[in-house]
Amino acid sequence: MHMNIRSSSWLGRIITAAATLVVATMVVLVPGPAAQADTPNSVIGVRYSDWFTSGYRCLDVRQQDGPQQPNARIQLWDCSGALEQQWRSHLYGYAPPAGEFGIQRALYQIINLRSQQCMEVRDGSTASGAAVDQYPCGSGSIDAIAAQLWMVTPVTSPPGWPTYNVSPYSAYRVGLYKCLDATGGQTGNGTMIQQWTCTGRSNQQLVSWGTLLAS
């Protein structure tokens, strides 16, 4: 069958248009990452130093600083169930692949129920001893809000005590590994929370229930 040049050109345009539509449809149908709901509210505690006791005190937004104010410090206090001691975690994204095996770390915002603000390392400091406080939750790239993003690492714990180190991404991204830390190894009411080089000691071992600090 003979086909003239005009018919051939017309057929070619149809085939090209159809192929473009198929490709566009395939792009639309490629599923993106599934949305993940925030974890239920729960307390976060720091254990007493004795592994064989079941005591802990809770991370608490300091009353004297104003529980709903930006830069209110995080401290330890007797667990009361108050809203300033209730937290939820929000999976924000993943750190770029690192190390020999290209491991990605989940990055979480940890959000206070009273203020709806995020736990952060003040001013994005990477120094040991930097204060941990709360601040309105940011958005944008993970580098832009690195001081509000936390990595969670399970550690060996007594049965029934899910225990973790919680590390700020702001330090990790520049090659420093820090942990949330009860200042001076203290466990009393009013002990301030800071970031410090990870030591493995109990004053850096946080407890939570359910999926609050699961990684």
Side-chain angles (χ1 to χ4, degrees), residues 99-119:
E100 179 181 356
F101 301 104
I103 296 172
Q104 287 186 305
R105 298 294 303 271
L107 302 174
Y108 297 88
Q109 287 175 313
I110 300 177
I111 304 165
N112 184 257
L113 185 58
R114 170 79 72 189
S115 66
Q116 300 301 316
Q117 296 183 42
C118 283
M119 188 184 301

Side-chain angles (χ1 to χ4, degrees), residues 28-112:
V28 170
L29 293 177
V30 172
Q36 178 165 324
D38 291 358
T39 59
N41 301 314
S42 184
V43 300
I44 303 173
V46 174
R47 290 194 302 105
Y48 294 154
S49 58
D50 184 349
W51 272 54
F52 298 100
T53 65
S54 58
Y56 62 95
R57 285 195 167 87
C58 284
L59 297 191
D60 173 277
V61 180
R62 191 169 184 259
Q63 187 71 33
Q64 297 92 318
D65 295 344
Q68 301 199 55
Q69 296 302 311
N71 294 130
R73 288 285 308 270
I74 309 302
Q75 63 178 2
L76 291 183
W77 203 265
D78 289 331
C79 299
S80 66
L83 294 182
E84 54 267 27
Q85 294 182 356
Q86 298 283 331
W87 307 85
R88 71 179 192 274
S89 62
H90 170 70
L91 177 60
Y92 194 84
Y94 294 87
E100 179 181 356
F101 301 104
I103 296 172
Q104 287 186 305
R105 298 294 303 271
L107 302 174
Y108 297 88
Q109 287 175 313
I110 300 177
I111 304 165
N112 184 257

